[in-house]
Every structure is written in C-alpha cells, then in structure tokens.
Amino acid sequence: MVARTVDLRSDTVTKPTETMRAAMATAEVDDDVLGADPTAFRLESEVAKITGKEAGLFVSSGTMGNLISVLVHCDIRGSEVILGDNSHIHIYENGGISTIGGVHPRPVKNNEDGTMDIDSIEVAIRDPRGELVFPTTKLICLENSHANSGGRCLSAEYTDRVGDLAKKNGLKLHIDGARIFNASVALGVPVQRLVQAADSVSVCLSKGLGAPVGSVIVGSKSFITKARRLRKTLGGGMRQVGFICAAAFVALKENVEKLDGDHKKAKELAEGLTQIKGLKVDVAAVETNIIYVDIVEGSKITAEKLYKNLEEHGVLVMPKGLSRMRIVLHHQISSSDVHYTLSCFQQAFTGMHQEIGSYSISTSRDVSYA
C-alpha cells in the first residue's frame, strides 16, 4: 500500500478545493446556451478584463478554445495557419483544425525557448499572387508559456514583433495561453501586456490555476459572437454551466498568487534532480512549473524501471520518450512533496536509504540493474 501519492504528471490533476466546492454548490445559474447564465457571464467578463479584450466565452477545454479561435479567424476552408512545429495546437489537439475546419497547418521550427524566428515566420507567409496553387495564410499562432519547451515564457516584446508582422500582412494573431498566468508571474508582466498584440487568446483555467474544468477565449465582441456560434456547432454549448464557472472563478481569484511558489518548488526540484548521477536537467530552462528530466545514456537503470520504482513509492511522472520524463508542479504539491520526490529518485538510482529534508525512503528488496 502506497503511503502517499505525489502526482507530478501535470497541473491538470488538481482536485477542487473546499472553497471551489462551496462556490459550485451555491452558484447562481441559468441557461448559458441562451446567454443567460450570470455566473458564466461574470467569469467571462473577468477574464476579458484581465486580458484587456472586449469579451470572453467559456468553453470546456483549451483544445476547444484553440479550435474555435482558429476556425473563426480561418473562416474559409483551405486557409493556412502558421504555428510552431512543437506547439500544442500542432501536436496534441488531434489535428482538429484540419479534420474539422479544413485549415492547413504551416509549421515553423520552434527554438528551444518556444519562440519562432521572426524571419522564418515571414518567409512562411504565402505570397497572395500564388493563390491559384497555395493555401491562403490567415493566422499566426503562438503559445505562452510554451509547454514542450519546458514552460518557457515568450516576452511581450517578442509577441509585439509577431503582432506587427501579422498586421503588416493582413493576418490575425492567436495566443494559446494555456499557462499565460504562469508566464505573467514568471516574467513579472501583467497578462494584458503579454497578449496586447493578440486578436484572440485561449486562457486555460484548469492547469496552473487548478480549476476542475474549462477555458475562456477572449477577443473582440464580433469575434466572440462568431465563437459562440461555433461552440454550439461543436457541441460545446452547455446549459447551467455556472456551477463549473463558479469553481473557475475561485481559481482565478485565489490561485494566481500561488504560481510563484509553484515555480520556486519546480526550480528546487530541478536543482535537486541534477545532483543525482544518471539524470540530466537543464535547470536554467526551468522558468515556470515544468521540468524535463533526461536519463543519461549508459545509466544502470532504464526508464521503465525508474517509472515503476517511482510509482511503487507513489510518485507519478509523465514519460516523454524512451529516456525523458516530464514533471509538472501545481498548487497542491508541497515542499515536503518535493523533498519526498527527490528521496524517491535518489533511492531508485542507488537502491540505498536516503534522507532529503524530513522524509526518507528505504527499500527491503535489491534493486536489479539491467
């Protein structure tokens, strides 16, 4: 029987707090498909205010938010969107922009920090004179923070430059802001400033902020009018959705201030892991709450055995390939959880009793190295 569980698979695994549950139980609700749910409207208005946009729309997930946003901007089938080759929209959203919207992705290489070279973006924009044979470029997408780059943050200045390029070419700019609050806290820059150049933003509330469900997409009033209709088309219109929005509103009000602690614990964990022989972590790249850990080639323990060993001690991580794993911190991971996790990693590599902080791990069985 596992004595404790430290779930580091993602910041989506949080459980609703008691404050969230109380807010859900007492939420004022109505039919949101008819545009009458007051709690949903309050949440949408608050996110729009924080991002400096005219209006917002609650959707069930970040994937739905990105899909709707891309389809609003690329309203003619065969339109093209420029996006990072390592971006969430391109890799992890089931190809929805293509299969559902007929939108053609034009991937540009993501740098290690999550950016795309401005010159490369410009080169990827189709020449309108070639419209007989080329797709028509309509949109550029950025992601902030950039998950596959380890939660790296895109600066306001970089985003401004992409926005200027978009405007110069008559294009729109969408930001996948799944962890935009993490970027804001890490950079010390208000969310509104980070997304100032964007025509639309998808803001996830169920990741770092810890809400149980949902995202809000924001943009102009005309954008949201079109988005609302698309949400219904995709089956995303929900009736008394205010009870879910109530929990998200609590997350927005109570958990933003906790993100800095998540980032500090992530850095502490990364620094501890890099001291373990057999592991490699780019500590400098840990800017927010995401850590990528590599098992060094030639180590005496395989990834499979490491995951099994960690799981036996209640530590859950996300495998990312044959020798890489992802660890994500969130507000329900304590400092003692960090110490315990380091102890478990150390034990997995040495097979010996270790003490880190106030927690220790021991094993009664031999660790077999293959």
Side-chain angles (χ1 to χ4, degrees), residues 145 150-153 182-183 186 262-263 266-267 285-290:
S145 65
R152 303 288 291 273
C153 305
N182 289 90
D262 297 343
H263 300 169
K267 182 72 79 170
V286 181
E287 296 179 355
T288 55
N289 64 326
I290 300 175

Side-chain angles (χ1 to χ4, degrees), residues 285-320:
V286 181
E287 296 179 355
T288 55
N289 64 326
I290 300 175
I291 308 168
Y292 279 100
V293 184
D294 292 299
I295 301 174
V296 176
E297 186 176 353
S299 294
K300 294 182 179 180
I301 187 169
T302 65
E304 182 180 358
K305 287 188 176 182
L306 176 59
Y307 299 141
K308 182 178 179 181
N309 191 292
L310 292 173
E311 188 175 5
E312 287 175 352
H313 291 97
V315 176
L316 307 179
V317 300
M318 182 75 75
K320 300 288 286 187

Side-chain angles (χ1 to χ4, degrees), residues 117-165:
D117 289 337
I118 301 293
D119 290 345
S120 297
I121 297 174
E122 189 163 21
V123 168
I125 298 172
R126 303 289 187 177
D127 188 332
R129 292 171 297 183
E131 64 180 358
L132 180 65
V133 292
F134 296 142
T136 301
T137 309
K138 289 272 196 170
L139 177 66
I140 302 171
C141 290
L142 298 176
E143 180 182 337
N144 199 11
S145 65
H146 198 274
N148 269 3
S149 297
R152 303 288 291 273
C153 305
L154 276 58
S155 70
E157 293 74 20
Y158 171 79
T159 306
D160 287 347
R161 291 179 64 198
V162 177
D164 289 342
L165 178 63

Side-chain angles (χ1 to χ4, degrees), residues 33 50 54 68 74 87 93 100 148 186 225 241 296 320:
V33 176
I50 291 170
E54 290 182 350
I68 289 173
C74 300
S87 66
E93 299 185 5
I100 295 175
N148 269 3
T225 296
V241 74
V296 176
K320 300 288 286 187

Side-chain angles (χ1 to χ4, degrees), residues 11-33:
D11 46 10
T12 62
V13 302
T14 56
K15 304 300 187 291
T17 63
E18 290 304 313
T19 309
M20 289 179 190
R21 293 179 187 274
M24 294 171 74
T26 59
E28 184 182 0
V29 298
D30 204 326
D31 191 329
D32 189 51
V33 176

Side-chain angles (χ1 to χ4, degrees), residues 12-221:
T12 62
V13 302
T14 56
K15 304 300 187 291
T17 63
E18 290 304 313
T19 309
M20 289 179 190
R21 293 179 187 274
M24 294 171 74
T26 59
E28 184 182 0
V29 298
D30 204 326
D31 191 329
D32 189 51
V33 176
L34 301 180
D37 191 298
T39 305
F41 180 75
R42 182 171 66 129
L43 175 66
E44 292 163 348
S45 299
E46 182 67 16
V47 177
K49 179 182 177 182
I50 291 170
T51 55
K53 305 305 179 186
E54 290 182 350
L57 180 70
F58 182 81
V59 293
S60 62
S61 68
T63 294
M64 177 177 279
N66 286 329
L67 176 60
I68 289 173
S69 298
V70 171
L71 297 193
V72 170
H73 294 308
C74 300
D75 54 354
I76 299 174
R77 291 183 69 83
S79 298
E80 188 168 70
V81 54
I82 296 171
L83 74 179
D85 68 339
N86 206 17
S87 66
H88 196 279
I89 294 176
H90 188 52
I91 297 176
Y92 297 119
E93 299 185 5
N94 205 232
I97 62 173
S98 299
T99 57
I100 295 175
V103 178
H104 187 261
R106 173 86 150 160
V108 170
K109 179 178 174 57
N110 278 119
N111 298 314
E112 288 187 1
D113 64 357
T115 63
M116 298 175 282
D117 289 337
I118 301 293
D119 290 345
S120 297
I121 297 174
E122 189 163 21
V123 168
I125 298 172
R126 303 289 187 177
D127 188 332
R129 292 171 297 183
E131 64 180 358
L132 180 65
V133 292
F134 296 142
T136 301
T137 309
K138 289 272 196 170
L139 177 66
I140 302 171
C141 290
L142 298 176
E143 180 182 337
N144 199 11
S145 65
H146 198 274
N148 269 3
S149 297
R152 303 288 291 273
C153 305
L154 276 58
S155 70
E157 293 74 20
Y158 171 79
T159 306
D160 287 347
R161 291 179 64 198
V162 177
D164 289 342
L165 178 63
K167 286 185 176 64
K168 185 178 79 171
N169 289 276
L171 310 179
K172 299 295 185 181
L173 172 62
H174 172 70
I175 294 179
D176 174 2
R179 295 181 176 90
I180 192 66
F181 284 95
N182 289 90
S184 171
V185 169
L187 294 172
V189 177
V191 170
Q192 179 174 344
R193 179 66 187 89
L194 288 181
V195 302
Q196 182 176 296
D199 296 283
S200 61
V201 187
S202 176
V203 179
C204 187
L205 302 172
S206 66
K207 291 190 172 69
L209 298 189
V213 179
S215 294
V216 173
I217 51 177
V218 293
S220 66
K221 290 180 180 177

